[in-house]
């Protein structure tokens, strides 16, 4: 290519005005915002989009169902910090992805779903056009921050920029962009790519920081509750906890932000009565990046959480939604925590100076003694928590220890709405800041773990990834074993098999009902994985699981490992 031709190509990609199809305009806008990976399935109406993915440097992974595409893109976004991209065709394909989009909305994940739609002048009266439905945008508005139907090729770039502006400046949520199918192939002039502006971190109010710092510095029984919104402020959270002698408890999405082996950590245990009692006894609770919702507490939120609740969140609505904030810090979590650390140190310095002035003492407040007391208190609460669930959790804990012993510290675990995950792995599989645990909180979809693991592995192929699931949830998306086999990347899938829907079975029994529709015939899942082109084994002991897992982490493609589990007595 000559220099002049190269300039023309670069200008067409992102700079000068050019005539192009709506499909190219869409892909060009995605690439300009840094998208380099997309998940989806080609269909009759979206071929003009697929035509341009490779020329614009966007890799594509084809799952076996659009719901799998949504979960995979969701997981890639969680681990990379870049919005996940899903490409669907019209009608049923888009609706197939809707459950995954709802999960991303619940967990505040930046996800961009692009699809064709009915033609611009499509009549309101049904005509029987392929994949026709009354309104895709109306359907998707229920599970997205917004659903935007464009009306020209030029508008496509603005719609993509609007999506990335939301991702960068507020609480991340999924977005849907619909391009009428006649616009996808229409050639129209478009200008330079419209780019979402770079966004700086939102600082908190100085007055709110001072008020919060004063309350925390003087608290005798402080605590930190960390949600997914605190993910980028992990070092600051740990420093503040240590400075205050505050115990730390997290939501599922906050798992591992502070190392769960730290003596101040209670891990993911907001659902535990002894932990909730410890929080109720606190005189100051700092909640960072969490809704403090029923899905976090597993019960209806109490009227109050401690004597004083300080909330840090990028979303102003969280200050009065659910548990009302007594002190509200609206802004980026890292900026807020850094400001709090500085302000608490200043308050402590003033208190120390006052003590020295009054008593001639050479030391400030007894922070380290307070920290030792906090360590002892955390150990006591942790012991009470584990004792209360020891019988129930005994069927998972030895296996989870075996998993932890084999897998790297920076591994990613993907999870499902399964007993082995929320009763087992969330509280009993310790994680540090280098690792990640991706769990479908809130919306609580089944079938997340396997396609999510595919998404992480596609985005970060060198990283160890382990999917954890139950037999019931796995079969919602079991076909994604084929996707994993096609990628030929090592991917262990550990399935605790209790012969059906164990949680619902237990709930029926607790009501005094005869369990119905929850016992499923056992499936030879390892054999199914082998049929898809992977490997599969049964592991009836923790030692067998450790051996199989170590091998699976070195074997290209998926390895499905079942752990037989008897239903709860």
């Amino acid at each position: 290519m000559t220099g002049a031709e190269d300039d023309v190509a670069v200008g067409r990609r992102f700079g000068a005005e050019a005539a192009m199809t709506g499909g190219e305009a869409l892909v060009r806008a995605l690439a300009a915002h840094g998208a380099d990976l997309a998940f989806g399935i080609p269909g009759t109406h979206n071929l003009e989009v697929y035509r341009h993915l490779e020329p614009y440097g966007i890799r594509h992974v084809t799952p076996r169902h659009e719901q799998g595409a949504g979960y995979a893109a969701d997981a890639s976004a969680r681990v990379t910090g870049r919005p996940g991209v899903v490409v669907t065709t019209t009608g049923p394909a888009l609706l197939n992805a809707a459950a995954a989009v709802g999960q991303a909305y619940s967990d505040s994940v930046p996800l961009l779903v692009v699809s064709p739609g009915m033609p611009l002048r499509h009549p309101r009266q049904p005509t029987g056009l392929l994949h026709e439905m009354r309104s895709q945008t109306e359907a998707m508005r229920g599970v997205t921050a917004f659903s935007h139907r464009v009306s020209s090729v030029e508008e496509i770039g603005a719609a993509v920029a609007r999506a990335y502006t939301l991702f960068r400046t507020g609480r991340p949520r999924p977005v849907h962009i619909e391009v009428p199918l006649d616009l996808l192939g229409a050639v129209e002039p478009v200008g330079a790519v419209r780019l979402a502006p770079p966004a700086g971190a939102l600082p908190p109010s100085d007055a709110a920081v001072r008020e919060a710092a004063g309350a925390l510095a003087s608290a005798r029984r402080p605590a930190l509750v960390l949600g997914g919104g605190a993910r980028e402020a992990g070092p600051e959270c740990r420093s503040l906890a240590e400075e205050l002698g505050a115990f730390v408890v997290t939501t599922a999405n906050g798992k591992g932000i502070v190392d769960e082996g730290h003596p101040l950590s209670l891990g993911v245990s907001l659902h535990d009565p002894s932990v909730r009692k410890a929080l109720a006894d606190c005189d100051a609770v700092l909640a960072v990046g969490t809704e403090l919702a029923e899905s976090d507490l597993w019960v209806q939120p109490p009227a109050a959480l401690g004597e004083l609740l300080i909330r840090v969140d990028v979303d102003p609505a969280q200050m009065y939604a659910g548990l009302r904030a007594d002190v509200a810090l609206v802004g980026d979590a890292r900026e807020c925590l850094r400001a709090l650390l500085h302000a608490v140190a200043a308050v402590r310095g003033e208190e120390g100076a006052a003590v020295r002035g009054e008593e001639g003492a050479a030391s400030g407040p007894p922070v380290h003694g307070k920290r030792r007391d906090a360590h002892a208190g955390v150990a006591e609460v942790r012991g009470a928590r584990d004792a209360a669930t020891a019988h129930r959790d005994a069927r998972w804990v030895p296996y989870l220890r075996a998993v932890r012993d084999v897998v790297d510290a920076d591994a990613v675990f993907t999870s499902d709405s399964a007993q082995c995950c929320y009763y087992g792995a969330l509280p009993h599989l310790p994680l540090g800041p280098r690792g990640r645990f991706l769990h479908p909180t809130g919306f609580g979809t089944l079938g997340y773990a396997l396609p999510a693991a595919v998404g992480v592995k596609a985005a970060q192929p060198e990283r160890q990834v382990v999917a954890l699931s139950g037999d019931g949830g796995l079969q919602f998306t079991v076909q994604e074993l084929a996707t994993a086999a096609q990628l030929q990347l090592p991917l262990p899938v550990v399935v605790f098999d209790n012969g059906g829907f164990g949680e619902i079975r237990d709930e029926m029994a607790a009501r005094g009902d005869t369990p119905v529709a929850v016992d499923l015939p056992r499936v030879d899942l390892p054999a199914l994985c082998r049929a898809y082109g992977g490997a599969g084994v049964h592991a009836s002991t923790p030692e067998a699981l450790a051996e199989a897992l170590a091998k699976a982490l070195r074997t290209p493609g998926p390895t499905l490992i079942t752990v037989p589990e008897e239903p709860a007595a």
Side-chain angles (χ1 to χ4, degrees), residues 370-392:
K370 181 178 178 182
R371 192 180 304 162
R372 284 193 297 271
D373 292 342
H375 290 181
V378 169
E380 182 179 348
V381 174
R382 189 185 298 118
R385 176 200 70 185
D386 293 345
T389 60
H391 176 72
R392 182 196 66 194

Side-chain angles (χ1 to χ4, degrees), residues 14 37 123 138:
F14 303 127
L37 176 63
E138 287 300 319

Side-chain angles (χ1 to χ4, degrees), residues 204 208-226 230 233-249 257-259 262 264-265 284-289 310-312 329 332-348 367-368 370-371 374-375:
V209 169
R210 287 193 298 270
E211 184 179 1
L216 291 170
S218 62
R220 291 184 174 275
R221 299 179 306 281
L224 270 62
V225 179
L226 308 180
E236 291 79 10
C237 290
R238 172 175 175 157
S239 295
L240 188 59
E242 292 176 341
E243 174 67 23
L244 298 172
F247 72 81
V248 178
V249 61
I257 289 176
V258 170
D259 195 319
H262 193 286
L264 288 171
S265 174
V285 174
L286 174 65
V288 186
I310 303 164
R311 299 194 69 167
V312 173
L329 278 70
D332 174 79
R334 178 179 286 178
E335 291 297 311
C336 289
L337 269 293
R338 286 177 175 174
L340 273 177
L341 275 166
H342 181 77
V344 166
V347 171
R348 285 267 165 83
V367 176
H368 297 293
K370 181 178 178 182
R371 192 180 304 162
H375 290 181

Side-chain angles (χ1 to χ4, degrees), residues 35-100:
D36 61 0
L37 176 63
F39 300 86
I41 300 176
T44 299
H45 289 161
N46 66 8
L47 298 182
E48 183 62 25
V49 177
Y50 275 86
R51 177 184 179 187
H52 297 286
L53 291 175
E54 186 176 343
Y56 278 90
I58 298 179
R59 292 185 298 127
H60 183 269
V61 173
T62 306
R64 299 310 187 260
H65 190 280
E66 286 88 2
Q67 189 175 32
Y71 292 143
D74 167 299
S76 74
R78 297 194 200 205
V79 296
T80 66
R82 300 191 300 273
V85 176
V86 178
V87 181
T88 80
T89 192
T90 40
L94 181 61
L95 294 184
N96 282 345

Side-chain angles (χ1 to χ4, degrees), residues 73-75 77-79 81-84 100-112 143-145 166-168 170-175 227-232 251 253 288-293 295-296 313-315 318 436 438-444 448:
D74 167 299
R78 297 194 200 205
V79 296
R82 300 191 300 273
V101 177
Q103 187 61 63
Y105 187 94
S106 176
D107 285 347
S108 302
V109 177
L111 191 67
L112 178 54
V143 289
T144 59
L166 171 74
F167 298 151
R168 294 175 181 177
R171 183 178 183 179
R173 299 283 206 186
V175 168
R231 177 65 56 187
E232 299 303 316
T251 67
N253 287 338
V288 186
T290 171
E291 291 178 313
L292 295 175
S295 56
D296 300 314
D313 208 290
V314 73
D315 183 359
Q318 291 305 309
R436 288 298 302 273
L438 312 186
H439 185 71
T441 311
F443 207 50
Y448 179 84

